Amino acid sequence: MPITLPSLPEDTFTRQKLGEYWLHNARMEHASIAAFARLSLELLSLGAPPDLLSQSASAQADEIHHAEICFSLASHYLGEGISPWAYPGIISWGLRRVSLAELARESFIDGAIGEGVACRVAEEQSELAKDEKLSTIYTTIARDEWRHAKLGWDIVEWALRVGNDKEKKKIEKTLHDTLSKTRLTYHLRTLSSEERTYFDSSLSDHGLMSEARYLDIRKLVYEESLERLEKMIGKREEGKSWWRRL
């Protein structure tokens, strides 16, 4: 699906930085195509309802479109045609058994939180970008990432609803253990030197934000997601956190 490309910056440095940024995103979006293909298989293996299967298939199509957008923008800014590459080992990567608890954990971390962060970031990038065409691209991505985060939440809710008592306890324990291990990551972890190259507030007119702002968004989404999960599980008590007490 062709996209309407934004105007090219005049200076070489800005074009190079933006090209590298979108190439990085292209690699991530390209890999996400396989992630949602695997999710569909896992949902099928656990007897998920048609609605979840449909959402997963739609999310995979979204990621194909996102990859197309990102590769087009990378090519646009870098001045050379860049296309997706082969993933020879992807077939074996997609085959595995998964439990309801494992699916709930991954859907919460990668879907509810991960896609939620991606949505918030893209929303803000849409507001930062001065080029209307670029702003529209960010808006499209934000809209799709919101749906992907919703899918994550829908899977967690479904797993808690259909699991027997033993499975529900396993889901809660798995989520608790995961939260115990990841909370400090979301609050204290900084970005690697490579990751930092993709956050540059000097390019805010093109939608890039500072590392500090990105980390703030990540913390906010994590805490909002934790509160929502506690309410979903039904263990929210005034002044106490379920994940600390389990």
Side-chain angles (χ1 to χ4, degrees):
M1 184 184 300
I3 66 169
T4 304
L5 296 169
S7 302
L8 274 176
E10 294 183 2
D11 63 293
T12 304
F13 174 79
T14 299
R15 291 197 301 271
Q16 182 68 30
K17 289 282 289 185
L18 292 173
E20 292 171 357
Y21 170 77
W22 285 106
L23 181 57
H24 168 73
N25 284 355
R27 292 177 176 135
M28 300 294 289
E29 300 286 8
H30 195 213
S32 293
I33 298 169
F36 280 109
R38 184 172 73 174
L39 176 60
S40 293
L41 292 174
E42 292 170 351
L43 289 169
L44 276 169
S45 74
L46 293 170
D51 175 61
L52 293 181
L53 296 172
S54 178
Q55 287 189 63
S56 182
S58 295
Q60 185 180 0
D62 290 339
E63 299 297 8
I64 293 172
H65 185 215
H66 293 180
E68 183 180 25
I69 288 173
C70 295
F71 278 114
S72 295
L73 287 169
S75 300
H76 178 60
Y77 288 119
L78 294 174
E80 57 180 295
I82 303 174
S83 301
W85 42 85
Y87 279 134
I90 206 69
I91 300 299
S92 59
W93 176 79
L95 301 177
R96 63 171 188 165
R97 286 186 178 277
V98 65
S99 67
L100 268 178
E102 290 168 333
L103 181 65
R105 178 192 64 210
E106 293 181 7
S107 295
F108 178 67
I109 295 298
D110 297 335
I113 297 179
E115 301 285 0
V117 170
C119 171
R120 295 285 186 88
V121 168
E123 284 178 340
E124 193 155 312
Q125 289 178 307
S126 176
E127 296 175 1
L128 289 171
K130 300 300 184 185
D131 187 292
E132 185 176 347
K133 296 170 185 174
L134 188 57
S135 178
T136 299
I137 289 171
Y138 284 124
T139 299
T140 297
I141 293 173
R143 178 199 63 208
D144 294 344
E145 302 295 7
W146 180 88
R147 289 202 306 269
H148 303 171
K150 177 184 179 299
L151 172 59
W153 283 113
D154 287 351
I155 292 173
V156 173
E157 190 277 332
W158 169 75
L160 287 166
R161 187 176 70 252
V162 302
N164 57 38
D165 289 343
K166 182 178 179 181
E167 288 172 326
K168 288 177 181 177
K169 288 180 181 178
K170 178 65 174 176
I171 291 170
E172 290 185 17
K173 185 177 187 308
T174 299
L175 289 170
H176 167 267
D177 292 345
T178 300
L179 290 169
S180 297
K181 294 174 182 176
T182 59
R183 194 166 195 269
L184 288 180
T185 297
Y186 279 90
H187 279 266
L188 299 179
R189 177 182 173 268
T190 56
L191 301 179
S192 67
S193 56
E194 179 183 357
E195 289 173 320
R196 286 193 185 101
T197 63
Y198 307 117
F199 295 91
D200 188 344
S201 58
S202 70
L203 298 176
S204 60
D205 285 355
H206 302 277
L208 274 66
M209 63 179 60
S210 68
E211 175 187 1
R213 180 56 188 152
Y214 170 74
L215 293 176
D216 284 344
I217 291 174
R218 192 173 67 174
K219 292 175 190 174
L220 176 64
V221 172
Y222 180 88
E223 290 300 325
E224 290 177 347
S225 300
L226 177 55
E227 182 174 354
R228 179 173 174 179
L229 180 65
E230 288 181 320
K231 291 178 179 178
M232 180 181 289
I233 291 176
K235 294 182 177 291
R236 183 72 170 176
E237 294 181 10
E238 192 66 32
K240 296 182 180 180
S241 291
W242 155 77
W243 73 271
R244 288 184 182 277
R245 294 183 289 106
L246 189 62

